Amino acid sequence: MNQRARRTSSNSYHWSAKPIVAIWAVILIITLALPTMHGFGQGQNNHIVPPGNSHTEFDRGGMMTNQIIVKFRDSGSGNRAEGLGMAQVGRMSSAAGVALTHVRGMSGDAHVFSLPATLNRAGITNIIDTLNALPEVEYAEPDHIMQHTAIPNDPRYPEQWHYFAPVPGNYGINLPPAWELLTDDLPRVVVAVIDTGLTGHVEFEGQTVPGYDFISDPRVANDGDGRDDDPSDPGDWITAEESASGFFAGCQISNSSWHGTHVAGTIAAATNNDIGVAGVNWTAKILPVRVLGKCGGYTSDIVDGMRWAAGLPVPGVPANPNPARVLNLSLGGSGACSASYQNVINDINAVGATVIAAAGNSEGDAGSIQPANCAGVITVAATNIAGNKASYSNSGDIVDISAPGGDSTGYILSTVDTGTQSPEGDTYAGYQGTSMAAPHVSGVASLLYAFNDSLHWHHVLAIMQSTVTPFPEGSSCKMSICGSGIVNAYAALQLVEGTLPPAVPPTYVTASEGSLTDKVRITWETSSDAAFFQVFRSTTDSLPDASILIGDHPASPFDDTSAVPGITYHYWIKACNIGGCSGFSSSVSGRRGILIYLPLIITR
């Protein structure tokens, strides 16, 4: 069960009079006059040691073919290879709308038919659907063409150790076999990169949907104006003169970071384009949401950007026509989770999107960094090539999972710009940081949504946590430090594609009583098999038609602050995990400020 469920969110923000550090800084400390948040990435230009690869066969899925496989329900002599008659082939051809030629019988009494021409996926699908509707056909399917390699042709992919299968000395996220499962007809899941914006890097051609610049202060935006529909990154450099006095006094002198560009490249850089690097999920679409500029970004801008990214309304900003299912937050600042962050995360979770946040780079407790410490986010720590905790990475029981973030033994290679201030040209560089770890998890989350669009964020977390690569023996990472393990893309997709375990809810749920004047509180026993709980409410004892879902909750307790004083409500609970949800519990009734002791017996 997620540890943060037992933490209390703060409604206040603690400010400090210390200066902000640069975009790849260890931790952000702010002044009242300056922006409040920044990215958790550290830029490096060191070369990455390229581990070896292996070739594997995989189904290209989207490739064209000129053959189909058919098995008939009656496998008697009339449907065996030697007995298949011209009349039956003619009937098949008539149904398919094309002339089929019987090529041969194959093992298992199936048959191979050739088509008069090579067809694309749409053409093959029409024929297959028609043949499967025939009463004598047990199944018909494309005779897929297989290829001998899943290795992208991007020339610098061999340097991306963080994608490779986990082996001693090289703990990547196991992408190559996961890529074997990708097909051309998968939905293109939108991933929001809440960051510094994007450059016009060649690796993003065809990989983005229109974003927005949410930086309201033109000085921070560095593009001559405030909010607009251009999320391009003009650069976030700080000069010695700016650092010495004025609005940016105390900010660390630095070249432009191209932080958002690096993060986005890890998630969804164009792949198999004979250029540069590969992305975790090249079938995804990047939604650039610019919230960080010179010396960081304000929480108010970040929260508005998050809300807009998920398709929620923001005053004065046009609606987002491409809501994101995954939001990557490679940024953060010190303090307890603020009300602003918790409220927007609750709203984002409610519309079915997943928020993934970097744990921070201060070598301390991730529980002191927001928004990583908020309820409803997946918090990511960083590991190195050996599977150890990266020295800079925050850790603790608030961390859900780890992913490669890199260090001097091997950096995370991705897209950046050559310019030291304004954009000048495309290039690549190795960075380190939890900012680099989070997009690995965001990319995998987008893969899960591509295979199953009905997943809830709790499902995404449960799937990834239950399929991790364990930390190696002797690693500085333990579950209490770095989460459940290192994200494993292939294992996670296998779980989604296979049979999911059934929901096993707690045996009973017990309500509590108390003099709560501003809410109704329900508590219940948790279960290791339940990933989250659904809470329903009604003003009558009628179930389920008269009840409404009022929220998904990771753990007990649930506080119903929307209950109207003086009205008696009835509540029910469902226990859920990646296999689905249990039946309704029996009901408990109570008013705001009072809740009766009643057992809640879960029904299957």
Side-chain angles (χ1 to χ4, degrees):
M1 193 57 60
N2 196 320
Q3 296 294 321
R4 69 173 57 80
R6 295 193 290 271
R7 299 177 183 270
T8 302
S9 298
S10 170
N11 292 329
S12 62
Y13 197 94
H14 299 285
W15 299 84
S16 170
K18 297 181 180 180
I20 298 182
V21 294
I23 199 84
W24 49 84
V26 172
I27 186 65
L28 181 66
I29 310 294
I30 45 152
T31 69
L32 281 170
L34 294 176
T36 65
M37 310 301 287
H38 230 305
F40 291 135
Q42 296 173 306
Q44 300 290 343
N45 293 313
N46 303 57
H47 293 292
I48 297 173
V49 179
N53 303 280
S54 62
H55 291 264
T56 56
E57 286 194 343
F58 76 112
D59 179 358
R60 288 293 295 274
M63 293 190 67
M64 299 181 291
T65 184
N66 66 334
Q67 294 190 160
I68 60 175
I69 299 171
V70 179
K71 183 175 182 181
F72 299 97
R73 295 186 187 280
D74 179 7
S75 60
S77 61
N79 282 333
R80 292 188 183 277
E82 65 272 15
L84 195 66
M86 292 296 295
Q88 189 162 3
V89 175
R91 169 174 161 74
M92 300 281 291
S93 297
S94 177
V98 296
L100 300 177
T101 301
H102 183 256
V103 176
R104 61 182 175 87
M106 58 180 292
S107 59
D109 290 333
H111 297 267
V112 178
F113 292 87
S114 67
L115 305 169
T118 298
L119 300 180
N120 60 19
R121 173 173 290 275
I124 291 289
T125 299
N126 290 335
I127 293 172
I128 293 300
D129 289 347
T130 300
L131 294 179
N132 276 318
L134 296 176
E136 68 267 32
V137 172
E138 181 175 328
Y139 65 81
E141 62 186 21
D143 192 1
H144 285 304
I145 298 172
M146 311 295 284
Q147 298 293 325
H148 71 283
T149 177
I151 298 176
N153 61 23
D154 307 83
R156 299 197 68 176
Y157 166 72
E159 299 175 61
Q160 293 180 286
W161 63 268
H162 36 103
Y163 292 169
F164 298 162
V167 296
N170 193 129
Y171 282 84
I173 67 169
N174 204 20
L175 270 173
W179 285 334
E180 295 176 8
L181 303 176
L182 301 188
T183 59
D184 290 347
D185 56 358
L186 284 175
R188 305 208 63 177
V189 176
V190 177
V191 182
V193 177
I194 317 292
D195 217 293
T196 64
L198 299 187
T199 63
H201 205 289
V202 65
E203 297 278 21
F204 300 141
E205 291 182 2
Q207 297 298 102
T208 65
V209 292
Y212 207 84
D213 180 356
F214 277 88
I215 301 178
S216 52
D217 191 316
R219 295 168 294 184
V220 178
N222 198 32
D223 59 2
D225 57 20
R227 293 183 173 182
D228 57 41
D229 60 1
D230 181 6
S232 300
D233 186 351
D236 55 5
W237 74 93
I238 295 291
T239 66
E241 182 180 4
E242 289 173 320
S243 178
S245 63
F247 182 73
F248 297 111
C251 294
Q252 182 170 312
I253 302 168
S254 65
N255 293 331
S256 290
S257 66
W258 315 119
H259 190 270
T261 295
H262 196 279
V263 167
T266 295
I267 296 171
T271 304
N272 280 320
N273 61 349
D274 284 310
I275 300 173
V277 297
V280 171
N281 180 11
W282 63 80
T283 72
K285 287 282 192 178
I286 294 296
L287 174 69
V289 180
R290 187 168 182 249
V291 297
L292 302 179
K294 288 173 73 74
C295 216
Y298 289 101
T299 294
S300 55
D301 289 340
I302 296 168
V303 167
D304 280 355
M306 292 170 63
R307 194 176 298 277
W308 181 86
L312 299 170
V314 175
V317 179
N320 174 16
N322 301 290
R325 293 303 305 275
V326 181
L327 284 74
N328 188 92
L329 295 170
S330 289
L331 52 78
S334 60
C337 178
S338 68
S340 294
Y341 271 123
Q342 193 58 68
N343 289 339
V344 71
I345 291 166
N346 292 344
D347 291 344
I348 290 169
N349 289 162
V351 297
T354 296
V355 180
I356 294 170
N361 301 338
S362 55
E363 303 179 46
D365 182 6
S368 65
I369 301 299
Q370 59 171 323
N373 58 8
C374 296
V377 306
I378 297 175
T379 303
V380 185
T383 52
N384 63 13
I385 193 170
N388 293 316
K389 185 181 82 69
S391 60
Y392 53 80
S393 179
N394 285 345
S395 58
D397 61 4
I398 205 73
V399 173
D400 294 303
I401 200 165
S402 286
D407 63 12
S408 60
T409 63
Y411 296 103
I412 306 302
L413 183 67
S414 188
T415 46
V416 292
D417 194 272
T418 59
T420 58
Q421 292 189 350
S422 300
E424 295 181 4
D426 300 344
T427 190
Y428 306 87
Y431 281 12
Q432 65 178 20
T434 55
S435 278
M436 286 61 256
H440 286 83
V441 176
S442 292
V444 173
S446 71
L447 286 170
L448 298 181
Y449 277 123
F451 279 81
N452 187 343
D453 185 58
S454 66
L455 295 176
H456 187 279
W457 82 268
H458 295 288
H459 297 145
V460 172
L461 175 59
I463 291 167
M464 289 194 291
Q465 286 187 315
S466 63
T467 56
V468 292
T469 300
F471 300 117
E473 185 176 354
S475 170
S476 56
C477 267
K478 311 293 181 187
M479 288 188 66
S480 61
I481 297 175
C482 305
S484 55
I486 300 170
V487 66
N488 187 312
Y490 180 52
L493 287 186
Q494 280 185 306
L495 180 56
V496 171
E497 282 211 312
T499 302
L500 300 180
V504 182
T507 56
Y508 65 89
V509 183
T510 304
S512 67
E513 70 174 45
S515 55
L516 304 171
T517 59
D518 63 341
K519 65 188 112 179
V520 177
R521 168 164 287 188
I522 306 173
T523 64
W524 58 87
E525 287 194 355
T526 60
S527 166
S528 59
D529 296 309
F532 68 101
F533 301 85
Q534 292 181 338
V535 179
F536 295 78
R537 184 185 77 188
S538 176
T539 54
T540 72
D541 198 15
S542 177
L543 182 72
D545 293 339
S547 62
I548 59 171
L549 175 66
I550 56 174
D552 293 334
H553 304 277
S556 169
F558 164 66
D559 288 337
D560 184 5
T561 57
S562 65
V564 177
I567 295 179
T568 297
Y569 295 93
H570 298 264
Y571 297 88
W572 297 265
I573 295 177
K574 285 185 175 183
C576 306
N577 61 18
I578 57 178
C581 295
S582 70
F584 288 97
S585 68
S586 57
S587 67
V588 61
S589 62
R591 297 186 179 189
R592 186 165 181 160
I594 299 175
L595 193 57
I596 305 170
Y597 264 119
L598 284 178
L600 297 182
I601 307 301
I602 291 290
T603 60
R604 298 303 177 97

